[in-house]
Amino acid sequence: PRAHELKSKAAAGLKASKDKDHPPPPPNHVNEPPSSDRKEGAIYQVGKPLGKGGFAICYDGKLIGSSKRYALKIVKAQMASKMEQKFQTELQIHSKMRHPNIVQFHRAFTFENCTYLVLELCSNGSLMDMVKRRKGLTEPEVRFYTVQISGAIKYMHAKGIIHRDLKMGNIFLDKYMNAKIGDFGLAALLLTGKDMQIMRRTTLCGTPNYIAPEILEKGKKGHDHMVDIWSLGIIVYAMLTSKPPFQSSTTDEIYRRARERDYEWPSPDATQKFYSLEAKDLVASMLQDADMRPDPDTIVSHPFFTSGYMPVPSDISSRLRESPPQ
Ligand code: ADP
């Protein structure tokens, strides 16, 4: 029966992982061992798969004896130790964050050779999936999300944390369609030679579209929190047009275009979509050289936010959540 359950669970949503780096499907119930603040331990009922990342798989999980639901992020223990530095950073930084637009970290434990992170559940997938499905958001919707993400960036930066991997695929949506920044795997590592290798490797297996050019400049030691503002500029452009501005078939070409700020706005003739001067100016301001980029407070006081309608949370939750996928 167990094998059967596992098979049907895999079939339910996730392609069976061919990748040996991913954890095997978890059992139907997962035991959190006793700890100082939870002496009896805890049991989670594992529900449907939510998604798969580089090394992790996430499942919907219900805490037995309560109605609380979480995202259970599962990583093979060997992977956690191979990726020790990345994983430790992720755990340490993420667990200290507390903000309405950052995925809340609840706990971490090990069970049957896997490490489990118990995270706030974001049941509406990632911003990337939503934006792709809707082929771009309206300017009022982009105002709403940009304010939320800027708030989270302001909070992280005030705590001395640089996220360094902000992208639409790392921003999740809760049941009310609020944006929540997740995945702190690359946050605030100092760029030593070793970190640089990790960064390049990670960049090679992920999308380079959101990486600020100064991160990749060889030999440059420090880089500051403004890399997150660059990424936000890419996110704002991508929320509006549904594509990142420097999209190209090769990574080198993306970097060249980013260095030269070689991007265009889709023409209204082709797309029937109109982008305001304010929106274009806001994006351009965030894609300047690091020392010229606006901080989060300056971003949200840009005319883009006062030049048109600013939705309230209930507008967003009813409009975006109920709109059927196209
Ligand atoms: P990795 O660190 O390996 O990149 P991610 O953090 O991106 O893993 O998680 C993998 C996938 O799991 C995500 O793409 C997303 O679909 C899903 N996921 C991650 N965190 C949550 C969450 N808090 N709520 C709902 N789904 C999540």
Side-chain angles (χ1 to χ4, degrees):
R2 171 105 184 266
H4 174 71
E5 279 164 21
L6 295 184
K7 247 192 218 157
S8 60
K9 195 165 274 171
L14 281 182
K15 273 195 300 162
S17 172
K18 274 182 230 131
D19 190 341
K20 63 177 173 36
D21 292 341
H22 280 98
N28 282 345
H29 291 88
V30 163
N31 294 4
E32 178 184 324
S35 57
S36 57
D37 64 330
R38 202 176 252 176
K39 296 209 164 50
E40 308 294 309
I43 305 173
Y44 297 88
Q45 186 182 345
V46 179
K48 69 173 174 39
L50 297 168
K52 189 167 152 183
F55 299 97
I57 300 190
C58 275
Y59 285 81
D60 188 320
K62 192 168 159 295
L63 178 63
I64 298 284
S66 82
S67 56
K68 291 189 182 133
R69 283 170 62 199
Y70 299 96
L72 296 176
K73 181 167 169 174
I74 315 175
V75 186
K76 253 192 193 173
Q78 300 102 290
M79 280 324 293
S81 62
K82 253 196 221 167
M83 300 281 294
E84 189 96 60
Q85 195 183 17
K86 176 187 185 297
F87 199 65
Q88 285 304 322
T89 318
E90 172 166 3
L91 240 68
Q92 280 185 6
I93 292 176
H94 198 168
S95 62
K96 292 193 183 87
M97 301 279 109
R98 196 173 186 86
H99 185 274
N101 300 109
I102 295 178
V103 171
Q104 187 57 47
F105 180 103
H106 291 284
R107 15 200 345 116
F109 61 87
T110 302
F111 175 64
E112 290 183 352
N113 276 327
C114 290
T115 303
Y116 287 76
L117 306 190
V118 182
L119 304 172
E120 175 181 10
L121 178 64
C122 294
S123 51
N124 279 304
S126 78
L127 185 59
M128 184 174 73
D129 297 333
M130 194 262 282
V131 166
K132 283 226 169 112
R133 202 164 57 229
R134 293 171 44 94
K135 303 188 174 76
L137 304 184
T138 64
E139 291 201 2
E141 288 159 358
V142 172
R143 282 186 193 103
F144 179 84
Y145 285 118
T146 308
V147 167
Q148 290 203 335
I149 302 163
S150 298
I153 294 177
K154 178 179 175 176
Y155 171 87
M156 293 187 292
H157 289 180
K159 288 203 160 256
I161 302 299
I162 310 172
H163 188 287
R164 306 205 314 182
D165 195 22
L166 286 178
K167 52 186 176 188
M168 293 204 295
N170 272 348
I171 299 176
F172 301 112
L173 299 164
D174 73 1
K175 64 176 171 183
Y176 303 111
M177 298 301 287
N178 288 304
K180 308 258 175 179
I181 294 179
D183 208 344
F184 282 77
L186 288 182
L189 288 169
L190 286 169
L191 273 190
T192 59
K194 198 168 157 222
D195 294 335
M196 182 66 99
Q197 279 172 10
I198 295 174
M199 173 63 110
R200 287 176 182 280
R201 228 181 297 140
T202 320
T203 309
L204 287 178
C205 38
T207 165
N209 274 305
Y210 298 75
I211 304 285
E214 67 267 21
I215 290 190
L216 297 143
E217 270 166 43
K218 266 197 190 138
K220 215 175 178 183
K221 274 276 160 57
H223 68 84
D224 63 11
H225 54 290
M226 287 304 181
V227 298
D228 290 337
I229 305 296
W230 172 281
S231 305
L232 180 59
I234 307 289
I235 291 169
V236 173
Y237 179 100
M239 285 196 288
L240 289 164
T241 66
S242 86
K243 283 194 180 68
F246 308 118
Q247 181 83 286
S248 306
S249 52
T250 67
T251 303
D252 280 350
E253 179 67 0
I254 292 173
Y255 296 152
R256 183 200 61 76
R257 293 188 61 190
R259 267 194 317 273
E260 296 174 10
R261 315 304 199 261
D262 174 11
Y263 71 98
E264 279 165 14
W265 289 87
S267 95
D269 307 337
T271 56
Q272 308 290 310
K273 276 189 84 173
F274 173 81
Y275 304 101
S276 69
L277 284 177
E278 288 85 359
K280 293 177 182 174
D281 183 78
L282 176 66
V283 170
S285 74
M286 292 190 266
L287 300 184
Q288 296 177 93
D289 287 345
D291 54 342
M292 299 289 285
R293 287 175 210 156
D295 63 20
D297 281 339
T298 310
I299 290 170
V300 299
S301 56
H302 187 278
F304 174 62
F305 296 93
T306 47
S307 63
Y309 183 61
M310 170 62 92
V312 293
S314 61
D315 295 338
I316 293 287
S317 125
S318 51
R319 264 184 56 77
L320 292 188
R321 198 158 39 135
E322 283 161 20
S323 68
Q326 289 175 1

